[in-house]
């Protein structure tokens, strides 16, 4: 049947099972929005306060559900406002479709009003992108975009559509959408056998889990693998929840703000089995000294990540769940009791610590974990609050910790929180922010209020850019250049002005009763939590140092004294 390009777009989205789009209208996408109006009972559109909020909401929806997130923006500045969100999704391997409008075909390349080469701009930060200039190619292009976004290592795909394409007509035939196949054909039997031998010969194995295990939904296979290998586990920000943080074998996060136990165990181990992690600089510290006593076995779906940041002894390339399933079938039960007991003794010796006499971020997070029993989705911005969220809230299941790991995007969390709540309406969804980050995206509280999306926004308000100030304190002679936020912004009044409930917390005794009240509400709410300006994230590894040089506040004081 003959349909307009806008109608074809909507039908293709329906084919893919898309139920929600996050976006902001404009001239180049008016035809699409007119069609969305006609299909509002089938596809829900969430109007965000800013296009960047739409891209982060699509990202949060995707990370929390495993589905493809979709965002929509007009040409020119509408499209460029998506760029940070697209880059965020690219760095963290999030399946997302960004649809942008552009000027009509005859106006392309003429510096027309609100024209920009968004495909050229986003080429380095997408898995692929398309410019659609012919309505006859629109349906196939959209279908390809969804396949690319989900195949292998996921990522964002941009589809830029000229305005006249959305009005022109073409023949549309509904397609049956096949499931995306897992990457198995790269898993070589001899690679598996070598890996099994490495595991058998190891006396001190350590398992290092990254975001690939979450994306692959490999948590059950991973648990079986850990127990068969009989090895302690550490993870990255992206890997949280793939292996339960409540399990006794869990040692905490690895890297710059990882636990002493995790950092020292990786340094001592003789085999580091890396499952879906890419050896980011924040994890490895000085890469030349990383896991210096170990052979490294890397399991990853993306061959580009093998030997990119750290040279490995051996690798298996393929879908994490598929690889672990094959290994589990062939693995004997190993017993590394002495090594495991040694690592667990370090957990007792080097617990995470924070001040118990004042209101702190860690105390708020521990209380939130207790009251929710860990059954919540936590999104974060980027900074000290992000690290505390990784350290002090315990993640039992995958897709419950959503944060910008690779790009480190301040302003990510609130949009992601909205997207996650829409994708998971029956779950408690909380965004943790610092006051510096909240300033970058607090306009999205108006979005949550408009649609009555019952999210909880917690602001750790220390009146400074906390993580930057921490570095200025430790490495820049306490020269606090432009990191003190000494204005009189009242987040409670702001939140109320945008239509949300709001409360201020100034002391420890208020935390539990107010959190209980907030968790019982079914509406958007903001908590302004006043914490000290000089609270720091501990432990820490100095930039350029080896992870074994991890230090705490007590270590620093002992060194001074």
């Amino acid at each position: 049947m003959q349909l307009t390009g806008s109608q074809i777009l909507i039908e293709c989205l329906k084919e893919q099972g898309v139920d929600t789009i996050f976006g902001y209208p404009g001239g180049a996408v008016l035809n699409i929005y007119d069609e969305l109006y006609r299909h509002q009972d089938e596809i829900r559109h969430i109007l965000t306060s800013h296009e960047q909020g739409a891209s982060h909401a699509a990202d949060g929806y995707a990370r929390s559900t495993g589905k493809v997130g979709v965002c929509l923006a007009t040409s020119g500045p509408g499209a460029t406002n998506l760029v940070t969100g697209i880059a965020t999704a690219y760095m963290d391997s999030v399946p997302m479709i960004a649809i942008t409008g552009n000027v009509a075909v005859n106006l392309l390349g003429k510096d027309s009003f609100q024209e920009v080469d968004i495909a050229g701009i986003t080429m380095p930060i997408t898995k692929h992108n398309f410019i659609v200039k012919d309505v006859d190619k629109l349906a196939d292009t959209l279908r390809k975009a969804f396949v690319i976004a989900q195949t292998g290592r996921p990522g964002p795909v941009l589809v830029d559509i000229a305005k006249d394409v959305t009005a022109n007509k073409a023949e549309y035939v509904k397609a049956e959408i096949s499931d995306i196949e897992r990457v198995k054909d790269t898993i070589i039997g001899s690679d598996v056998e070598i890996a099994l031998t490495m595991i058998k010969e190891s006396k001190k194995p350590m398992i290092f889990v990254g975001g690939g295990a979450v994306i692959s939904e490999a948590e059950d296979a991973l648990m079986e693998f850990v127990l068969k290998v009989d090895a302690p586990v550490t993870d990255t920000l992206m890997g949280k929840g793939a292996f339960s943080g409540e399990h006794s074998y869990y040692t905490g996060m690895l890297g710059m703000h990882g636990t002493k136990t995790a950092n020292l165990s990786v340094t001592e181990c003789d085999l580091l089995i890396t499952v879906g992690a890419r050896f980011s600089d924040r994890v490895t510290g000085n890469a030349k000294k990383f896991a210096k006593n170990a052979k490294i076995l890397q399991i990853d779906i993306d061959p580009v990540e093998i030997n990119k940041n750290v040279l490995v002894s051996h690798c298996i390339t393929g879908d994490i769940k598929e690889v672990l399933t094959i290994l589990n079938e062939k693995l004997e039960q190993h017993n590394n009791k002495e090594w495991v007991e040694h690592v667990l003794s370090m957990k007792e010796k080097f617990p995470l610590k924070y001040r118990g006499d004042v209101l702190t971020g860690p105390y708020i997070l521990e209380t939130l974990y207790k009251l929710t029993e860990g059954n919540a989705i936590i999104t974060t911005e980027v900074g000290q609050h992000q690290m505390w969220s990784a350290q002090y809230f315990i993640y039992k299941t995958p897709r419950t910790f959503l944060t910008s790991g690779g790009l480190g995007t301040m302003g990510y969390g609130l949009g992601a929180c909205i997207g996650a709540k829409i994708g998971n309406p029956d779950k408690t969804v909380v965004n943790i922010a610092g006051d510096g980050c909240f300033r970058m995206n607090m306009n999205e509280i108006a979005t949550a209020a408009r649609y009555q999306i019952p999210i909880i926004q917690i602001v750790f308000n220390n009146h400074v850019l906390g993580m930057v100030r921490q570095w200025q304190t430790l490495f820049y002679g306490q020269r606090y250049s432009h990191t003190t936020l000494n204005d009189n912004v009242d987040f409670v009044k702001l939140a109320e002005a945008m239509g949300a409930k709001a409360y201020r917390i100034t002391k420890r005794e208020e935390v539990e009763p107010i959190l209980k009240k907030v968790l019982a509400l079914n509406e958007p709410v903001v908590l302004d939590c006043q914490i000290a300006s000089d609270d720091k994230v501990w432990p820490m590894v100095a930039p350029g140092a080896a992870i074994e040089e991890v230090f705490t506040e007590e270590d620093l004081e002992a060194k001074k004294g």
Side-chain angles (χ1 to χ4, degrees), residues 11-12 14-17 139-140 143-144 146-147 172-180:
E11 292 303 318
C12 287
K14 286 160 58 179
E15 285 176 5
Q16 300 290 339
D140 284 345
R143 290 164 186 153
K144 286 178 187 174
F146 275 87
V147 170
Y172 165 78
V173 179
K174 184 177 180 179
E176 293 298 323
I177 304 302
S178 302
D179 291 336
I180 301 296

Side-chain angles (χ1 to χ4, degrees), residues 380-383 385 409-412 432-442 465 485:
T380 81
E381 308 297 340
V382 171
H385 62 275
T409 305
M410 293 175 70
Y412 165 80
I432 309 294
D435 49 323
C437 291
F438 187 54
R439 292 160 188 268
M440 293 191 173
N441 63 13
M442 58 189 176
L465 298 178
L485 308 175

